[in-house]
Amino acid sequence: MTSSTSPLSRPSRRRVLSLAGLGVLALAGCTEEDSLAEQANAGDGKGYIAGDGTVSEYPVGERGEPVQFTGTLYDGTPVTAEDLRGTPALLNFWYAACAPCRVEAPDLKALAERFEGQVTFYGVNLRDEQATAQAFERNFDIPYPSFQDKDGEVLMALSAYVPPQAVPTTLVLDAEGRVAARILGLADRSILDTLLADTVAETA
């Protein structure tokens, strides 16, 4: 594999953890993207690519530049990546009809409450109108806001880390706005808890 500055194609010492809990460390990049490409080309009409739960951590010294994006919350509030700087942040890409998104919603709620004041949580909704998104948030008692991103503005700005249609995907940003970790697919609560705690500890 040739070297590249792309964060997805650069495997150098990046730890990849399996949600199956096997504890196997592997170099990731081609394998996970090939799997996503195969699902995208399958044409089975399910409407999303179910990531395999791969967790990628980016060592502090090997993280890319701070991410840049501009988005609008459902209440009309504009938010930029710069607004998130200073504390770690979590971005969860979702939409209401995505089955894995519904499964992980209670865990994201619990983690948002556990890390209140330490990590800023945002959802990035890729498909839903406001009424549908808010019904989901009421149903799962989600305590943090979401971007309305049907136009894909936030998604495209973060496309180096979030494959198109790979829903759910969760990014953990460090206090400088750099991607510290990524989960493709359903987020395991204990692993995400550890990723967030580690990123908070860096800031401290």
Side-chain angles (χ1 to χ4, degrees):
M1 180 182 296
T2 59
S3 62
S4 170
T5 58
S6 168
L8 290 184
S9 59
R10 185 187 62 194
S12 56
R13 299 204 307 275
R14 192 174 69 197
R15 290 188 294 161
V16 180
L17 312 176
S18 168
L19 291 189
L22 299 179
V24 177
L25 300 184
L27 292 179
C30 293
T31 300
E32 66 189 37
E33 294 207 65
D34 289 347
S35 173
L36 290 167
E38 288 172 4
Q39 292 186 58
N41 293 330
D44 55 13
K46 66 186 178 184
Y48 63 90
I49 300 172
D52 62 3
T54 298
V55 180
S56 301
E57 290 186 80
Y58 301 84
V60 174
E62 298 180 15
R63 293 173 191 167
E65 294 297 317
V67 299
Q68 300 290 339
F69 66 84
T70 299
T72 303
L73 305 181
Y74 277 102
D75 66 2
T77 302
V79 177
T80 69
E82 286 81 1
D83 294 330
L84 307 185
R85 308 281 163 79
T87 59
L90 178 145
L91 299 175
N92 176 253
F93 292 77
W94 70 284
Y95 61 90
C98 161
C101 301
R102 303 179 72 85
V103 173
E104 70 181 9
D107 290 337
L108 290 170
K109 171 186 180 296
L111 289 170
E113 293 171 345
R114 165 167 152 65
F115 287 97
E116 184 178 3
Q118 302 178 79
V119 180
T120 303
F121 278 60
Y122 282 102
V124 182
N125 188 294
L126 302 176
R127 296 195 178 187
D128 298 326
E129 298 294 343
Q130 183 171 1
T132 301
Q134 290 181 336
F136 180 101
E137 291 168 349
R138 285 195 303 271
N139 185 45
F140 290 100
D141 197 22
I142 302 298
Y144 53 85
S146 281
F147 293 94
Q148 183 174 22
D149 201 46
K150 289 182 67 177
D151 61 2
E153 184 175 5
V154 177
L155 176 65
M156 290 305 297
L158 297 172
S159 60
Y161 296 94
V162 185
Q165 298 184 350
V167 183
T169 289
T170 301
L171 299 181
V172 176
L173 307 181
D174 65 19
E176 296 180 27
R178 303 174 300 172
V179 175
R182 180 192 68 177
I183 301 177
L184 282 177
L186 183 66
D188 176 87
R189 177 173 172 176
S190 63
I191 290 178
L192 184 53
D193 187 304
T194 299
L195 295 173
L196 292 170
D198 287 349
T199 308
V200 168
E202 292 174 10
T203 306

